[in-house]
């Protein structure tokens, strides 16, 4: 630890007191805590009880996504300014140049960029009329920070100050009046890897980074040109993020290598992500020191497109997309039971042997019970969702977040769309949206056919405001109904281009 003056020690002590005790609780903190606890109980107990009687094979992924969603909801409750913002995560390995990139994009030295003090606290940056730096502790209490205090909350804090105030905070919000993109919030997250041998800290940072980036709507992934290419760890991390998420890869510090080496790194990264089936919008070399040779314009232009095109996604939509995966499983189970019942009834009608009729009758009764059980589970899941979204609605109101018109327990239910016409229109030459083209590219890859209907419906729900002009006024097409009924390779082929 460096030698601190008495004034520095006193200032650090006061910061630790404020961080520990908090200064202002979020509006309606008691209600927020109660409702949040109720949501956690529903996910960790009630949903588990429901799953005991049958659950989809990816149930663990559904639970993990719900838990991450609850963590993101905590951030929204503490920072209501985030509600309605389109979030763009800035991620990458330890010391890849993420904070330097954000500073350069904003034209201000807002984040710590020295070699040793790397980001330890997930930080949201957004536009607001008044400059402010707020942190949120684990009791959902806000702590106002000075710029010097905020810059000290890095991985080097303990060595420099002998304290670890950052470990008592969940996240920070940096409001900047000059922030260029009014609809966006950038998230600077800790590097998911640490080379100093601190395995526990590396695991914690990886968990935090994954939770924050998974909840974002788009990602800027930063790779230092000095690494010579994208690492296996980077590829694994990117592959673990939602596949529909728009991703831009930025090669930082391009001035550190000659142009031929930079071009080779960019080409190698493009080939590596393509081989893994990871769709990216582009791989862009940049430099914060040599903006003439490697300008930031392409990154700024992409952020502006996201600002204009990405729809804002509320917490209810995020949760609904996970419950929909469970609904699809139960609908498929009920469909299978109905099909088996039909076949067994046909066998029973054609059989003339008394013993065979007796056996078929027993099987028929078992299948009928299995169908009734699947239907009962579907009803229980609907009742579970009603309770879940009722608590969510109360929590959102208590936190001061804006509630969209029509929000509530039924939020997330959307009118039918003519998916076939919609997809063909979006695939037509000259369509402007790269985000939607990325979604359509997923449909042309070799993949398990059982995943495609879920992808299509999740995409159409998420992008409803932009897709609505392409939808038919009449009832949903045969293609859309087939998606509701089930997933077969023949069904997927009619949606191919």
């Amino acid at each position: 630890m460096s030698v601190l003056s008495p004034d520095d020690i006193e200032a650090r002590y006061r910061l630790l007191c404020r961080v520990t005790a908090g200064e202002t609780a979020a509006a309606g903190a008691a209600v927020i805590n109660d409702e949040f606890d109720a949501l956690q109980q529903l996910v960790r107990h009630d949903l588990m009880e429901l799953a005991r009687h049958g659950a989809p094979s990816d149930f663990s992924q559904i639970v993990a996504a719900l838990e991450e969603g609850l963590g993101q909801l905590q951030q929204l409750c503490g920072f209501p300014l985030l509600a309605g913002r389109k979030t763009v995560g800035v991620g990458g390995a330890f010391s890849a140049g993420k904070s330097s990139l954000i500073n350069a994009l904003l034209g201000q030295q807002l984040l710590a960029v020295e070699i040793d003090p790397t980001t330890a606290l997930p930080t949201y940056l957004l536009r607001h009329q008044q400059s402010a730096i707020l942190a949120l502790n684990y009791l959902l209490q806000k702590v106002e920070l000075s710029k010097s205090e905020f810059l000290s909350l890095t991985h080097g804090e303990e060595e420099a100050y002998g304290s670890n105030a950052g470990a008592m905070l969940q996240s920070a919000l940096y409001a900047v009046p000059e922030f260029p993109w009014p609809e966006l919030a950038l998230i600077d997250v800790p590097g998911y890897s640490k080379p100093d041998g601190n395995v526990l800290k590396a695991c914690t940072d990886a968990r935090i980074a994954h939770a924050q980036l998974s909840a974002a709507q788009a990602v800027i992934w930063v790779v230092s040109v000095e690494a010579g290419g994208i690492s296996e760890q980077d590829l694994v991390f990117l592959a673990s993020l939602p596949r529909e998420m728009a991703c831009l890869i930025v090669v930082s510090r391009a001035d550190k290598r000659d142009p031929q080496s930079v071009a080779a790194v960019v080409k190698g990264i493009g080939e590596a992500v393509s081989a893994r089936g990871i769709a990216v919008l582009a791989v862009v070399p940049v430099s914060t020191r040599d903006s003439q040779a490697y300008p930031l314009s392409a990154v700024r232009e992409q952020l502006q497109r996201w600002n204009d095109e990405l729809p804002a996604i509320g917490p209810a939509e995020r949760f609904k997309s996970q419950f929909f995966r469970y609904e699809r499983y139960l609908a498929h189970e009920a469909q299978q039971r109905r099909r088996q019942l039909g076949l067994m009834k046909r066998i029973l009608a054609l059989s003339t042997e008394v013993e065979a009729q007796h056996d078929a009758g027993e099987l028929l009764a078992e299948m009928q019970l299995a169908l009734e059980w699947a239907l009962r589970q579907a009803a229980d899941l609907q009742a579970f969702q009603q309770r879940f979204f009722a608590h969510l609605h109360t929590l959102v109101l208590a936190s001061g977040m804006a509630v969209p018109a029509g929000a509530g327990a039924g939020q997330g239910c959307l009118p039918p769309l003519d998916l076939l016409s919609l997809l063909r229109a979006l695939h037509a030459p000259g369509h402007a949206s790269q985000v939607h083209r990325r979604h359509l590219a997923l449909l042309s890859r070799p993949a398990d056919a059982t995943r495609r209907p879920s992808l299509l419906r999740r995409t159409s729900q998420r992008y409803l405001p932009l897709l609505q002009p392409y939808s038919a006024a009449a009832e949903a097409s045969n293609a859309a109904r087939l998606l509701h009924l089930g997933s077969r390779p023949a069904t997927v082929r009619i949606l191919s281009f």
Side-chain angles (χ1 to χ4, degrees):
M1 185 180 76
S2 59
V3 178
L4 300 177
S5 69
D7 288 343
D8 290 336
I9 293 174
E10 181 181 357
R12 206 68 193 172
Y13 173 75
R14 292 185 182 280
L15 173 62
L16 286 168
C17 291
R18 285 159 46 215
V19 166
T20 305
E23 295 174 344
T24 58
V31 176
I32 291 172
N33 287 328
D34 289 345
E35 296 300 323
F36 189 81
D37 289 344
L39 290 173
Q40 281 190 322
Q41 176 72 6
L42 284 169
V43 171
R44 297 176 181 178
H45 181 266
D46 296 44
L47 189 61
M48 296 298 178
E49 285 296 311
L50 184 64
R52 287 177 58 192
H53 306 294
S57 58
D58 61 349
F59 179 70
S60 61
Q61 298 174 24
I62 293 174
V63 173
L66 290 172
E67 290 282 3
E68 286 186 348
L70 289 174
Q72 187 68 13
L73 183 62
Q74 268 194 322
Q75 308 293 317
L76 289 173
C77 291
F79 299 133
L81 279 177
L82 288 173
R85 307 275 179 164
K86 310 163 187 181
T87 53
V88 177
V90 182
F94 173 84
S95 198
K98 301 180 294 297
S99 299
S100 295
L101 174 65
I102 293 174
N103 285 340
L105 288 169
L106 299 180
Q108 300 182 59
Q109 291 295 112
L110 302 178
L111 306 175
V113 295
E114 293 84 355
I115 294 174
D116 292 328
T118 50
T119 300
L121 190 63
T123 302
Y124 297 87
L125 297 105
L126 50 78
R127 179 187 291 187
H128 192 57
Q129 59 265 33
Q130 293 183 339
S131 295
I133 306 175
L134 301 174
L136 195 68
N137 68 15
Y138 283 93
L139 298 175
L140 291 182
Q141 295 169 319
K142 293 179 189 175
V143 181
E144 189 168 354
L145 302 174
S146 68
K147 187 172 182 178
S148 61
E149 289 172 338
F150 169 72
L151 292 176
S152 73
L153 300 177
T154 66
H155 283 304
E157 180 194 351
E158 188 168 356
E159 182 178 350
Y161 298 95
S163 64
N164 203 358
M168 293 179 276
L169 299 171
Q170 292 190 60
S171 57
L173 183 144
Y174 207 138
V176 184
E178 301 84 9
F179 191 83
W181 305 283
E183 303 297 323
L184 296 184
L186 292 181
I187 312 171
D188 183 32
V189 302
Y192 72 90
S193 60
K194 274 183 64 59
D196 59 6
N198 189 339
V199 177
L200 180 61
K201 184 60 182 172
C203 291
T204 300
D205 283 350
R207 177 181 55 80
I208 293 172
H210 191 274
Q212 295 287 344
L213 294 177
S214 294
Q217 292 170 257
V219 165
I220 295 175
W221 190 260
V222 183
V223 178
S224 173
V225 74
E226 295 172 296
I230 191 165
S231 69
E232 176 67 18
Q233 284 180 298
D234 278 17
L235 292 169
V236 170
F237 194 101
L238 285 173
S240 71
L241 297 176
R243 295 191 69 189
E244 72 273 15
M245 183 181 293
C247 178
L248 176 72
I249 294 183
V250 169
V251 180
S252 65
R253 304 174 182 137
D255 61 290
K256 298 288 188 179
R257 295 288 185 268
D258 60 82
Q260 292 79 10
S261 298
V262 173
V265 170
V266 170
K267 181 181 178 183
I269 291 174
E271 292 173 348
V273 295
S274 178
R276 292 297 184 90
I278 301 169
V280 300
L281 299 174
V283 182
V284 180
V286 302
S287 170
T288 59
R289 296 175 181 271
D290 188 357
S291 58
Q292 298 260 336
Y294 300 103
L296 294 167
S297 55
V299 183
R300 289 195 176 102
E301 289 167 5
Q302 183 57 61
L303 284 166
Q304 187 60 50
R305 282 193 290 271
W306 283 334
N307 180 83
D308 298 337
E309 296 174 3
L310 281 178
I313 298 179
E317 291 169 295
R318 296 186 187 279
F319 290 120
K320 187 68 180 178
S321 67
Q322 300 306 319
F323 294 137
F324 173 73
R325 295 163 69 178
Y326 208 142
E327 290 174 348
R328 287 290 299 164
Y329 161 78
L330 293 176
H332 179 71
E333 286 293 298
Q335 180 189 357
Q336 289 294 96
R337 301 292 85 79
R338 289 190 183 98
R339 177 177 173 275
Q340 291 169 355
L341 273 171
L343 291 174
M344 191 55 62
K345 287 178 180 178
R346 185 182 304 173
I347 293 172
L348 190 60
L350 296 175
S351 176
T352 57
E353 296 182 11
V354 175
E355 187 174 348
Q357 287 183 332
H358 178 268
D359 293 341
E362 288 185 350
L363 288 174
L364 188 66
E366 291 178 5
M367 291 174 184
Q368 183 63 44
L369 286 174
L371 173 60
E372 291 173 0
W373 187 256
L375 295 175
R376 188 179 304 118
Q377 269 198 289
D380 289 343
L381 180 59
Q382 288 298 321
F384 170 88
Q385 290 188 68
Q386 290 291 329
R387 297 196 304 274
F388 185 94
F389 286 113
H391 285 294
L392 178 61
H393 186 72
T394 303
L395 184 149
V396 166
L397 289 175
S399 68
M401 284 187 273
V403 181
Q411 188 175 10
C413 300
L414 299 170
L417 296 176
D418 183 346
L419 293 176
L420 187 57
S421 300
L422 180 151
L423 289 170
R424 284 176 174 164
L426 289 176
H427 193 69
H431 194 274
S433 176
Q434 294 183 43
V435 175
H436 302 324
R437 282 196 172 281
R438 183 176 185 275
H439 283 67
L440 293 170
L442 295 174
L443 304 179
S444 63
R445 294 196 195 125
D448 182 0
T450 60
R451 296 292 303 278
R452 296 194 180 193
S454 173
L455 171 67
L456 286 171
R457 288 194 55 189
R458 184 169 69 250
T459 300
S460 61
Q461 289 184 14
R462 181 171 182 175
Y463 291 93
L464 179 63
L466 291 176
L467 303 184
Q468 195 66 48
Y470 299 100
S471 62
E475 185 183 359
S477 67
N478 288 333
R481 282 199 291 275
L482 284 171
L483 289 177
H484 282 278
L485 290 174
S487 171
R488 293 180 292 278
T491 303
V492 174
R493 277 197 295 274
I494 69 170
L495 293 167
S496 299
F497 299 96

